[in-house]
Amino acid sequence: TLIDETAPDHETLDLVERGLASLPPVEREILTLFYLQELPIAEIAEALSIAPGTVKSRLHRARHALRDTLKKEGELR
């Protein structure tokens, strides 16, 4: 498959944790709720009292911010 279903190694987890820690709280929160707590868009919207479209746009911005942060650190190509 195109997706590697093996568990990430400690180095990868450390990298993601450092990247998340460097993000502003709003971006860190949305990524944590979606990816780490595995909440669906609708539940995130309800929990944060925002529209589902706002959740989607924040996720989009947060993904780009995380990728840019990791690129700056030379960790991502």
Side-chain angles (χ1 to χ4, degrees):
T1 67
L2 294 175
I3 299 173
D4 181 9
E5 295 186 19
T6 61
D9 59 32
H10 291 291
E11 185 176 321
T12 302
L13 291 174
D14 288 343
L15 172 64
V16 171
E17 286 178 1
R18 286 194 316 271
L20 283 173
S22 70
L23 294 178
V26 170
E27 293 170 346
R28 183 173 49 247
E29 175 181 53
I30 206 84
L31 289 173
T32 299
L33 291 172
F34 189 74
Y35 288 106
L36 301 179
Q37 294 186 10
E38 299 180 350
L39 293 179
I41 301 284
E43 286 185 32
I44 295 171
E46 187 177 326
L48 299 179
S49 299
I50 58 177
T54 303
V55 173
K56 291 176 186 179
S57 64
R58 286 184 185 179
L59 270 171
H60 179 77
R61 281 194 313 268
R63 287 180 189 121
H64 283 277
L66 180 59
R67 183 175 57 231
D68 291 345
T69 297
L70 296 177
K71 280 182 181 180
K72 286 178 189 175
E73 293 179 13
E75 301 290 347
L76 235 186
R77 293 176 188 160

